Amino acid sequence: MPIILLWICKALDMVLNPVIILGFLYFLLRMIGVGVKLAASKRRIDSLLNGGKKASRKFWKPRKGEVSSEFSLCENLSMEELDAFRSNYQNDKVPFDTYSLFIQVFPLLGILGTVAGLYIAMNENTNTGMAALYDGVGFALTSTVWGIIAAVVLKSVEIIITARCTNYIDESIDRYMEKYRANNEKAQEGNQSNET
């Protein structure tokens, strides 16, 4: 049994680091692509909230105590447009959520490489001397470093996309719903006052 485990560890020695590097590059590019789609969704929800007009940018913030009246009620809010937006947004967000789950695999691959490298170092034939020990420890350390680098970079990209796009879009959907309810209440009050 130990010989089979040693063969598996040696096979991992040849394959694991390239798998970590290629997987990292693949997921990084895919997450950036999904981030671009989510940024487009962010612009679309802004357009829906502003009634199709481009949002104006202010280069100053209101002073403490000042009230900003930047968000005015839009009269032509449509629930059909919001439902279409939500559907597209959910379709764009599913791959992002899936890639976010795979980030957790990279540290585990690094740990697998660490254990396999140490197993190689400890169970190599003593005839080969210190070279086998150094090769096993070298594999252990490089796989750990690659796994951690991949996880840190991908987690950073996930945090940026979440903070700049998904949280903003979710909050904007809630704000759209509030505006829609306010417009409906305003319209019902207008209808009731016209009837009396």
Side-chain angles (χ1 to χ4, degrees), residues 116-137:
L118 293 176
Y119 190 82
I120 290 170
M122 296 301 148
N123 290 306
E124 234 356 271
N125 202 350
T126 55
N127 299 343
T128 56
M130 294 300 284
L133 180 67
Y134 287 132
D135 288 344
V137 171

Side-chain angles (χ1 to χ4, degrees), residues 99-109 151 155:
Y99 301 145
S100 296
L101 290 175
F102 275 102
I103 293 172
Q104 301 168 10
V105 170
F106 288 100
L108 296 175
L109 290 175
K155 190 65 178 173

